[in-house]
Amino acid sequence: MSEHGIEVTVNGHRHAARVEARTSLGEFLREGLGYTGTHLGCEHGVCGACTVMVDGAAVRSCLMLAVQVDGAQITTIEGLAEADGTLHPVQQALRDNFGLQCGFCTPGIAISLACVMQEEAGAGEGARENALVRAMSGHICRCTGYQGIRRAIRQLSGHQPAADEAEAVA
Amino acid sequence: MNVQTKSVGAARYVGSRQPRKEDGRLLTGRGQFTDDVRLPGMLHVAFVRSAVARGRIVSIELEAAREMPGVHAILTQADLATVPVKMLSFFFTPIESPVTLLADGRVACVGDPVVMVIAHSRAQAEDAASLVEVVVDEETPLVTIADAKTGPLVHPGREDNIAAEMGDEDALEAIQPLLDDCAHVVSTRIRHQRIAQSPMEGRACVASPDGAEEMTVWMGCQSPHLAARYLTQALGMPQEGIRVVARDVGGGFGLKNIPWREEMAVVVAAKILRRSVKWIEDRFESLTASSHAREQDTALTLGLDKDGRFQAAWCDYACNNGAWPMGEDANIAVHMFMWPAYRLPAYGFVTRGWYTNTMGLGAYRGPWAMESLVRETLIDKAARRIGVDPVELLRRNLLYLEDQPHTSSMGIPVEDITPGECLEKLMANIDYAAFRREQAEARVEGRYLGIGFATYIEPTGSAGSMAPMTGETVQLRIEPTGKVVAMLSTHSQGHGTATTMAQVIAEQLGVAYEEITVYEGDSAIGAFSPGAAGSRQGVIAGGATWQAARMLADKVRAVAAHLSNASVDAVSIEGGMVHIIGAPEMSRSLREIAEIAYGEPARLPEGAASGLEAQYRYQPPPMTMTSAAHCAMVEVDAETGFVTILRWIGAEDCGTVINPGVVEGQIAGGLAQAIGQVLLEDMPYDARGNPLAATFKDYLMPSISDVPDFEYLHASTPSRTIGGMRGVGEGGCIIGPPTLVNAIADALSPFGEIDELVLPLTPARIVDVIEGRDVSGTRVHWQALEAVPAGGDEAAAPPSAEPGQAAGIDGDWNMVLKTPMGPQAMVAHFDTVGEAVSGYLEAPEGRQDFAGGTLSGDRLKFEMKVEKPMKITLKYDLRFDGAHFSGKCKMGMFGSAKVFGERA
């Protein structure tokens, strides 16, 4: 099995490592670097749980090889919040709206939505909401029925909560 | 308001949408799932599984795999057998199939684990596993329930392929005359597809032998306590104390109720190798080799009088148990809970589970959900047949509070169920007439709208009648810092129990929610409970927490009263401060009280224990019923057969709602799974026994675009438990399927009836109804599958009768009674005087005498009254043949159970 040297920056920290050519980015992050917040749910690119940010783009870390990220800037779920612990708006919206239950699929969802928020920063409410929902079509959640995630998306799109939801975001 | 819901503290936490305590770690990647556990020197497992559904193992070639770098050990069943294991069901009864951890000479389904490769990394284990060659002499497999009825034995040596059964066809004799007298008789048949539970985190296990006396096991489970008890009992009480830890688990849904073959194999391998061993199931294994659920074939007939009032019903139920069920199951609960929400004078059934050469049966959210699906879809069909509005037909037959107490035709007592009230609450929140107008207008335009209703009741919070279904323990303390710590027997796979239990404590103790830390998910804390199994934690742990917090508040008040020389009644606790009425200057923080309670015991009241601790184990009433009524509105595209859900609204009564966000999350998750079952999910097998959905591209999980925004109405009738909660974990998955099927059937009604409901209702199957022909090929497919000639490897012949030995039945017999919870072994002793027979039955739980039996020829009849699981009279009817006997035991509401025995 061929091995290759790579250098990556993960959540602002630089790492140098030797990886087997076949090692997926997800496995490298988990096993090689200890970023176990990245979860491998299907390892064939459907469920989206393993999504991480590579140079600003949402990537399924089960389908990308570690050797492909040489020189890249990577953000995992561990690096999404501010250094002082302040949650990223996506994390906060999921928390405010019961957007997670078991939490296994959550890191990938949070990263995907955070990428859209970055890409659609200048977009209007409707366009941003559509883009966020579209991003969710690449994620499977078995617990929530997507209800809290939809509410979180509405919050992120700047909607005022409906009267019966006001309590939820108080 | 129920007096028990009165709060001690002023702040209201029960009923509010507190943010979840679990979310902080889960949203930031700091959770600890089993695959996140890393131990020094840990080894990794890959299983080699059978690619053949049935046959004898001719050879297993391991040499090439052994040569691979990193391989530490390769184990087969012969190696694992050095550690005796007795696999058990959820009820801790023996598994009846000859299940072993790895295949033992034969394979009985695709995915059967055959070899365990253990290496220094997962990749090395998989590399080596791919080089193992298992040669099997393939035999024709039994795939469907129909195959099982006529084919050779799945497990050689058994009498037939019936894994479990209750009731029999004879019972129809009592029901048929009643049906014959009915003005209307309607029937339906449902073929329910096989479901893969598909938690987002597959099964997972890390076993660490920590010396001769301790074994720590991290496991994806639904209760660390139940898993630890299971491991200990299955291993025959090993020398090690087994501790199970499950901090975070990525969904369970019934699949992770008990450890199964792979988890047990990991634990046994760790014992043999004396090393830490990890196995993480991948998605291919999770879909094809984790226990499956739901494959059923059910026919129900209902008779109604001319006014549409239910008179009698008969059900013929069968479920596919696969080769290695996690407990042989005829699903008696389907029949127990079919009718308690309705007035129905007479019900009879026959119910069977069948062995086949497919992956074994496991539990899935609301395992008995077929009762609601078949009943509610048949009532809906009956309404169209009779020409009555479906809501009106429900109203004529449903129980309302004013109709109770009531006892169902199966003997289930109900005293506070509210299906009728939920239906009225639902109807008050939709404009039914407006929808019917809109529907009529749409049909003119060639658009097909439909509305569906369903009601149900659900048994929750079961405790005290089945071995694993018990109370819950909470250990609660105020630390010297004033912080509040709770240690619970609960477990959350997303349920948010740390959140809801902290809300109860905050309210009852009078402290801020944020000041409370909850620990759970570890068999070393709390005490036995089955965790998330049977919609029970909110009810039972909620009650335990409620009571423990009040006990601790009482202690704080007693200490504060003593210190202040005040009356206990004058002491209140609010926001973590202890106040004396009329003496604001004497207020103290909980921390001050705690420092004294721990550090200066001389200042405590006479006889008071030091510290601030309380422990309570709550034993609730045996069962707590939840009710609901749901409505879905859909549009069916008549060209494509595609279903769009326009609106979904439900009224549920789960009593006291601790946290609406958590309750609605449970309902929504169940409804999404219901939508998956009705429209999308399917784990089909081909005629050679190959599972055909191996990835999430084949197994269609509901996505965000498949699930609408749900609307919730909470009826909140307090139950009779402490706190007044009712369980809500499974309901959405039970009431969701009939609600959606009825909406689709209503939309399709201009074209005709869904004669035989085959799930999932794919667009092609919906077009079958629209076009009135077999567009989907479903019927052709079933006919082809059912016509597969059964292999002739072993004939399903009854065991040969041995020549008669000693005449007479006097003396001891080893007897097995096949109860709905599994086989129960006992010793039967008979004494005859002429035709009169007396004697006793003796089991480990105790001995019970009987008298008044009669022996006529080779036939013995006797009766025995029992108290558990409920008061029923067992009526035995046995036929003796030399050294053997067999027969039936009528078990009241459960129907008839098989009995057999042989000379001791």
Side-chain angles (χ1 to χ4, degrees):
Chain A
M1 208 60 62
S2 67
E3 277 201 349
H4 303 265
I6 59 170
E7 287 189 25
V8 289
T9 304
V10 181
N11 302 332
H13 300 285
R14 292 186 59 189
H15 298 273
R18 290 196 66 76
V19 295
E20 281 188 25
R22 65 173 176 177
T23 302
S24 72
L25 172 58
E27 189 183 346
F28 170 65
L29 289 170
R30 289 182 54 82
E31 306 297 326
L33 302 183
Y35 292 105
T36 54
T38 298
H39 298 152
L40 296 168
C42 73
E43 294 176 274
H44 51 253
V46 178
C47 81
C50 68
T51 305
V52 298
M53 209 184 287
V54 178
D55 294 330
V59 162
R60 294 183 183 227
S61 66
C62 70
L63 295 185
M64 190 174 217
L65 297 174
V67 291
Q68 293 176 278
V69 297
D70 188 23
Q73 296 273 346
I74 294 172
T75 303
T76 67
I77 189 67
E78 289 94 338
L80 202 55
E82 302 286 331
D84 68 357
T86 304
L87 293 180
H88 185 281
V90 165
Q91 291 168 310
Q92 188 62 46
L94 288 168
R95 180 172 167 80
D96 290 343
N97 293 285
F98 296 86
L100 60 151
Q101 286 182 25
C102 81
F104 194 81
C105 70
T106 307
I109 289 173
I111 292 283
S112 266
L113 297 183
C115 286
V116 175
M117 291 295 284
Q118 208 165 293
E119 291 159 10
E120 303 285 327
E125 279 178 22
R128 194 192 300 170
E129 181 171 351
N130 287 342
L132 290 165
V133 172
R134 215 163 39 239
M136 271 308 299
S137 69
H139 291 272
I140 297 173
C141 168
R142 189 58 151 170
C143 294
T144 64
Y146 306 98
Q147 305 294 298
I149 298 168
R150 279 178 190 281
R151 287 194 299 268
I153 286 174
R154 288 198 282 270
Q155 181 174 323
L156 291 167
S157 305
H159 288 296
Q160 291 300 314
D164 62 337
E165 290 174 336
E167 217 188 336
V169 294
Chain B
M1 178 175 281
N2 186 317
V3 66
Q4 289 174 323
T5 62
K6 188 171 177 295
S7 165
V8 174
R12 290 294 300 180
Y13 287 103
V14 170
S16 72
R17 295 175 193 263
Q18 292 297 316
R20 297 200 328 160
K21 289 209 174 270
E22 295 84 353
D23 291 355
R25 66 176 186 272
L26 294 173
L27 277 166
T28 55
R30 269 74 177 184
Q32 187 198 63
F33 295 86
T34 302
D35 195 18
D36 303 337
V37 173
R38 283 151 169 67
L39 302 173
M42 186 170 72
L43 300 169
H44 298 261
V45 174
F47 286 99
V48 177
R49 297 177 182 277
S50 177
V52 170
R54 175 189 175 102
R56 184 178 59 85
I57 297 174
V58 177
S59 63
I60 302 175
E61 183 50 61
L62 301 175
E63 284 316 305
R66 284 213 172 97
E67 298 300 315
M68 291 293 286
V71 170
H72 182 88
I74 299 183
L75 305 178
T76 64
Q77 179 57 26
D79 303 305
L80 296 191
T82 58
V83 176
V85 173
K86 184 79 186 161
M87 294 299 279
L88 303 166
S89 74
F90 175 70
F91 300 105
F92 300 113
T93 52
I95 299 293
E96 292 179 71
S97 73
V99 64
T100 45
L101 303 186
L102 299 175
D104 189 12
R106 288 183 62 82
V107 293
C109 61
V110 171
D112 238 348
V114 181
V115 176
M116 199 176 180
V117 179
I118 302 169
H120 292 285
S121 76
R122 172 66 183 241
Q124 289 169 333
E126 288 184 12
D127 287 345
S130 69
L131 297 177
V132 171
E133 200 175 337
V134 179
V135 178
V136 175
D137 182 12
E138 187 175 357
E139 299 163 10
T140 305
L142 311 184
V143 177
T144 64
I145 291 168
D147 290 347
K149 291 178 181 175
T150 56
L153 295 172
V154 170
H155 298 301
R158 286 187 66 98
E159 193 178 330
D160 50 36
N161 282 325
I162 297 174
E165 72 179 321
M166 296 294 293
D168 57 44
E169 278 80 0
D170 295 351
L172 182 56
E173 288 169 20
I175 300 294
Q176 191 61 52
L178 302 173
L179 290 172
D180 292 342
D181 285 345
C182 286
H184 307 284
V185 177
V186 288
S187 296
T188 194
R189 181 179 182 185
I190 298 178
R191 294 182 192 253
H192 199 305
Q193 82 276 41
R194 180 177 288 243
I195 292 294
Q197 292 92 326
S198 305
M200 294 313 298
E201 180 197 28
R203 293 180 294 157
C205 184
V206 176
S208 176
D210 306 331
E213 293 174 355
E214 289 174 59
M215 164 90 82
T216 306
V217 180
W218 288 262
M219 191 188 300
C221 61
Q222 296 178 206
S223 163
H225 287 283
L226 190 136
R229 177 173 168 184
Y230 186 101
L231 293 175
T232 303
Q233 289 186 210
L235 289 167
M237 307 295 286
Q239 191 181 353
E240 305 96 318
I242 294 178
R243 176 185 178 191
V244 174
V245 182
R247 169 75 156 162
D248 290 306
V249 175
F253 312 116
L255 172 67
K256 300 174 186 173
N257 264 343
I258 56 172
W260 198 231
R261 302 169 75 187
E262 290 85 349
E263 295 97 320
M264 287 298 308
V266 168
V267 170
V268 169
K271 277 175 73 83
I272 291 172
L273 302 175
R274 297 173 194 276
R275 291 282 293 268
S276 298
V277 177
K278 174 190 266 192
W279 170 64
I280 304 298
E281 185 177 60
D282 68 20
R283 186 54 58 185
F284 174 66
E285 290 179 296
S286 175
L287 284 167
T288 62
S290 265
S291 304
H292 292 152
R294 288 290 201 273
E295 188 186 334
Q296 300 155 96
D297 188 350
T298 308
L300 179 65
T301 298
L302 173 66
L304 307 87
D305 70 11
K306 63 179 172 36
D307 298 322
R309 293 202 162 74
F310 303 164
Q311 301 301 312
W314 171 260
C315 183
D316 186 339
Y317 172 94
C319 65
N320 193 332
N321 274 217
W324 314 113
M326 293 168 102
E328 281 74 4
D329 192 11
N331 216 340
I332 187 71
V334 165
H335 308 285
M336 292 175 68
F337 300 106
M338 181 90 76
W339 297 107
Y342 292 86
R343 278 184 294 269
L344 174 82
Y347 178 63
F349 66 89
V350 57
T351 194
R352 294 194 176 99
W354 296 89
Y355 289 121
T356 62
N357 294 114
T358 60
M359 191 46 66
L361 172 70
Y364 184 55
R365 207 170 194 172
W368 59 91
M370 177 54 79
E371 48 80 25
S372 282
L373 179 59
V374 72
R375 179 193 64 238
E376 296 297 313
T377 55
L378 182 57
I379 293 171
D380 193 59
K381 186 183 269 192
R384 277 188 298 276
R385 177 76 56 82
I386 301 172
V388 179
D389 185 86
V391 177
E392 174 56 27
L393 192 55
L394 292 173
R395 282 180 171 139
R396 282 185 202 168
N397 292 284
L398 269 179
L399 289 177
Y400 288 70
L401 275 173
E402 64 190 20
D403 304 318
Q404 301 168 57
H406 178 89
T407 302
S408 82
S409 50
M410 289 273 287
I412 307 268
V414 291
E415 45 193 14
D416 65 346
I417 62 170
T418 58
E421 285 73 12
C422 286
L423 179 64
E424 300 310 328
K425 194 176 181 73
L426 177 69
M427 298 312 292
N429 282 274
I430 61 171
D431 190 339
Y432 187 29
F435 182 87
R436 287 295 185 198
R437 282 195 301 276
E438 190 186 342
Q439 180 181 44
E441 288 162 16
R443 279 184 192 166
V444 174
E445 300 166 13
R447 289 170 48 238
Y448 295 90
L449 306 185
I451 189 165
F453 297 92
T455 61
Y456 92 131
I457 55 104
E458 178 189 356
T460 74
S462 170
S465 57
M466 295 172 277
M469 303 309 274
T470 67
E472 292 269 355
T473 295
V474 57
Q475 298 157 338
L476 187 60
R477 63 179 188 264
I478 302 170
E479 307 221 313
T481 58
K483 284 269 197 185
V484 178
V485 172
M487 304 209 294
L488 297 175
S489 49
T490 49
H491 189 260
S492 168
Q493 308 100 59
H495 304 80
T497 34
T499 300
T500 48
M501 297 305 125
Q503 287 179 250
V504 170
I505 294 164
E507 177 151 312
Q508 294 302 316
L509 193 51
V511 300
Y513 173 71
E514 295 74 19
E515 293 297 312
I516 301 164
T517 303
V518 175
Y519 294 102
E520 58 178 353
D522 184 339
S523 68
I525 62 173
F528 181 83
S529 116
S535 301
R536 52 179 297 290
Q537 297 193 109
V539 181
I540 307 177
T545 309
W546 206 287
Q547 186 63 22
R550 292 169 75 95
M551 289 162 61
L552 188 53
D554 285 347
K555 170 140 195 198
V556 169
R557 287 211 304 276
V559 171
H562 182 75
L563 291 172
S564 307
N565 208 15
S567 150
V568 170
D569 293 336
V571 182
S572 68
I573 315 169
E574 281 172 38
M577 292 297 293
V578 185
H579 304 287
I580 312 291
I581 292 170
E585 73 285 359
M586 295 176 81
S587 293
R588 300 169 196 257
S589 66
L590 269 181
R591 176 179 181 162
E592 266 182 85
I593 304 270
E595 283 175 343
I596 292 165
Y598 285 93
E600 301 175 71
R603 295 176 66 189
L604 296 176
E606 180 83 23
S610 68
L612 288 178
E613 301 170 51
Q615 173 163 337
Y616 188 69
R617 183 168 181 83
Y618 180 41
Q619 188 67 30
M623 200 178 281
T624 298
M625 294 285 194
T626 296
S627 308
H630 278 233
C631 169
M633 302 174 192
V634 302
E635 177 167 353
V636 176
D637 185 321
E639 292 293 315
T640 63
F642 193 82
V643 175
T644 304
I645 301 171
L646 305 172
R647 189 181 177 195
W648 193 306
I649 179 168
E652 109 293 333
D653 192 346
C654 70
T656 304
V657 174
I658 300 173
N659 185 325
V662 168
V663 163
E664 290 163 10
Q666 288 297 310
I667 296 169
L671 290 178
Q673 290 174 333
I675 291 168
Q677 286 178 83
V678 173
L679 298 177
L680 298 165
E681 298 178 38
D682 195 5
M683 175 58 70
Y685 273 72
D686 71 11
R688 283 184 71 191
N690 293 301
L692 298 179
T695 72
F696 277 152
K697 292 177 180 115
D698 321 300
Y699 192 84
L700 303 181
M701 299 273 276
S703 74
I704 195 166
S705 56
D706 300 308
V707 185
D709 278 320
F710 300 118
E711 299 167 57
Y712 313 93
L713 302 164
H714 301 296
S716 306
T717 311
S719 72
R720 295 164 193 215
T721 66
I722 296 177
M725 285 74 78
R726 300 168 188 266
V728 75
E730 291 160 286
C733 205
I734 300 172
I735 197 169
T739 305
L740 182 52
V741 169
N742 287 348
I744 295 168
D746 184 50
L748 294 177
S749 60
F751 301 102
E753 282 294 332
I754 304 172
D755 282 329
E756 181 181 302
L757 177 62
V758 179
L759 293 175
L761 270 174
T762 57
R765 286 182 179 146
I766 285 172
V767 173
D768 286 352
V769 179
I770 292 169
E771 302 215 349
R773 61 195 178 95
D774 188 16
V775 177
S776 66
T778 300
R779 278 182 214 142
V780 171
H781 172 75
W782 279 111
Q783 282 159 5
L785 270 186
E786 292 181 355
V788 168
D793 316 307
E794 302 101 24
S800 58
E802 289 172 28
Q805 296 176 349
I809 64 167
D810 285 22
D812 287 350
W813 299 75
N814 291 324
M815 181 179 116
V816 174
L817 170 64
K818 301 210 12 176
T819 76
M821 268 81 81
Q824 192 183 0
M826 53 189 99
V827 171
H829 180 89
F830 304 122
D831 294 309
T832 53
V833 178
E835 292 193 345
V837 182
S838 61
Y840 58 83
L841 301 181
E842 187 166 20
E845 297 80 35
R847 163 179 158 166
Q848 195 170 356
D849 296 327
F850 75 89
T854 55
L855 180 69
S856 41
D858 60 356
R859 189 170 187 185
L860 169 63
K861 289 185 174 185
F862 65 97
E863 296 186 2
M864 182 173 272
K865 286 190 167 56
V866 296
E867 302 285 318
K868 285 187 74 178
M870 43 196 77
K871 285 183 186 171
I872 44 177
T873 300
L874 303 180
K875 297 179 180 174
Y876 285 90
D877 184 351
L878 310 176
R879 282 188 187 274
F880 286 77
D881 178 12
H884 298 269
F885 69 78
S886 62
K888 285 188 280 193
C889 171
K890 286 205 167 175
M891 307 180 72
M893 71 177 77
F894 297 107
S896 314
K898 270 192 177 178
V899 184
F900 48 90
E902 58 184 19
R903 271 287 174 196

